[in-house]
Amino acid sequence: MNKIFGGPAIFLDRSDINTDEIIPAKYLTEVTKEALQPYMLEDLKLEGFDPRGEKLKKARVVVSRENFGCGSSREHAPWVFEVNGVHTIIAQSYARIFRQNTFNGGMLAIELPKADLDRLFALDKAGEVTISVDLDAQKVTAVANGKTETFSFEISPFDKALVQAGGWVEFADARY
Amino acid sequence: MGKTIAEKIFAAHLRDEPFPGTKVLNLDRVLCHEITTPVAIADLEARGKDRVFDPGKIKAVIDHVTPSKDSKTALQAKMLRDWARRHQIKDFFDVGHNGVCHAIFPEKGYIRPGFTVIMGDSHTCTHGAFGAFAAGVGTTDLEVGILKGVCAFREPATIRVNLTGSLPKGVYAKDVILFVIGQLGVNGATDRVIEFRGPIIDAMSMEARMTLCNMAIEAGGTCGICLPDMTTVDYLWPFIQGDFKSKEAALAEYRKWVSDDDAAYDKVLDFDLSQLEPQVTYGYKPDCVKPARELAGTRVDQIYIGTCTNGRIEDLREAAAILKGKKIAETVRGIVSPATPKIFSDALAEGIIQIFMDAGFCVTNPTCGACLGMSNGVLSEGEVCASTSNRNFNGRMGKGGMVHLMSPATAAATALKGVITDARTL
Ligand code: SF4
């Protein structure tokens, strides 16, 4: 599947959003990624957040806080984002396995410092936020109601190479 | 500058460093279960690469939902079973022989000091108890592990946790790890190895060390690790006696895998645990931890004793010692799942199963069971479980259900009273 980095964003203003909230264990009986599609963030309880809402349906970028994706190793978590067209996550930090799973699938788990994230979350108050990502320049641009904010981000050369290769299977198969 | 055990294992297994800071390691073990492996198998087939790097280094088990409960879980089991047969993976454990992955693989002697181990399961960190580097990974890492026998990691920074003093009676490894997670926080060890050291560890059995390392991931840790010593050798002896002249010779070999005195740590934490009390979680994160005493009287509906954290024979013995000759409260349901068939039959031989049954417990087959709310023992909305497992996320054991994590002793005392109870107050 070709990845698209950017688009309308949804903001999840809480730390430690875990893999059970992203995709409950009861759906782990599925053996295809596509079957997970209806269940994205189904068990997440957050003020103003509706897992069945239009906003989530339209979202192509998820923005959150610290330790995003903690808990289980289930790759079903990034997969449920992938099959819903969300190929970019932006957060202050990630659980290691979730972060690796996201890059392994050729998707982006971008880390921004708290001050930048605060500015990004402030933009969410101004209206609908659309985000674009320039991977080569390592820049995120967010636009809402005519207001624009730009942020630089760090990404390890390995993670960048995974995204460019389309994922770890592709990278490893070519190299080992 | 000396090296930590993790750095030594990395150096000995380094296959490639495609970029500075990224280490691609050769793997000694790729462990598989039926929940995360089938998608990897299907993807390998779709790519025309249905191969395995070394069938002897791959071990597989059906454990999460077993025997299968419906068509979907039956398909997962079948995909793993067919794949194991197709590739001559001899160490594959199916109904009648299967048990919880992180209990059965060490029990079979598959994990050795200095090994690199991955599995598509976050609690793979358990195996660090043997002085191995063992990390939970996702399905893509697992897939590459199966195909190529390698996995990529960042340079391992290590947090050294020194545990000193001696544990008071009635306080166990589970209480220790809950306390440590409470101190570190749920992301306090992200991208770090947690190296457990000190007299408390030296005195622990392998079972207790596994309980400890099992929950490293709940502080975000990549791996929990204990240095191999004579306790490790004793545990592994039935499997390694053909390889060494004596236990001392085995120990001398395994001592290659200990941290140097001048190794550099990211952080060093010291805890004197002589005053530690039994610990219990509240809320929905494993770092929300309090002494059991402070939560005493909290109502529960179900007790679950088992899992990769606390379903081993020692755990069942501790619980049985408290339950012996008594009945659990009428308001609670008790469920015990011995983690492996061997543990089950040992418990049977020791009369422990009878004690559980006389107390009013339901004894299930070895399986993950209630732990992740996928098969039996699922909670209803608003219900509460006192559990010896490792994760208390909202809804983990069933939508709207809540879990308090605790030791087998605290769980047994709680079963008798129907409310959270410090076993020392019985
Ligand atoms: S017992 Fe629970 S935590 Fe352990 S492997 Fe099974 S589901 Fe995971």
Side-chain angles (χ1 to χ4, degrees), chain B residues 33 63-64 100-102 121 123 214 307-309 367-368 371-372 389-390 396:
Chain B
H33 66 52
D63 63 349
H64 277 56
V100 179
C101 50
H102 309 306
D121 192 284
H123 295 103
N214 175 270
T307 80
C308 59
T309 321
T367 175
C368 296
C371 177
L372 82 168
S389 53
N390 47 36
R396 167 88 177 172

Side-chain angles (χ1 to χ4, degrees), chain A residues 16 18 28-30 43 67 71-73 75 94 96-97 99 101 104 158-159 168 170 173 175-176, chain B residues 16 22 24 47 49 72 76 121-122 136-141 144 148 154 187 191 222 285 391 399:
Chain A
D16 305 318
N18 65 56
L28 303 187
T29 57
E30 301 296 346
D43 274 359
N67 199 28
S72 149
S73 65
E75 204 157 316
Y94 298 89
R96 184 195 74 84
I97 305 175
R99 184 192 65 217
N101 287 344
N104 279 350
F158 178 58
D159 293 339
W168 172 228
E170 287 76 3
D173 202 34
R175 198 168 166 111
Y176 304 111
Chain B
D16 183 24
T22 300
V24 176
R47 290 172 189 268
K49 295 183 188 299
K72 284 186 173 171
Q76 289 180 307
D121 192 284
S122 59
V137 298
T139 292
T140 302
D141 273 337
V144 171
K148 304 282 179 184
R154 291 186 183 179
N187 59 352
D191 280 314
T222 306
K285 292 197 298 165
R391 208 162 260 167
K399 200 177 176 102

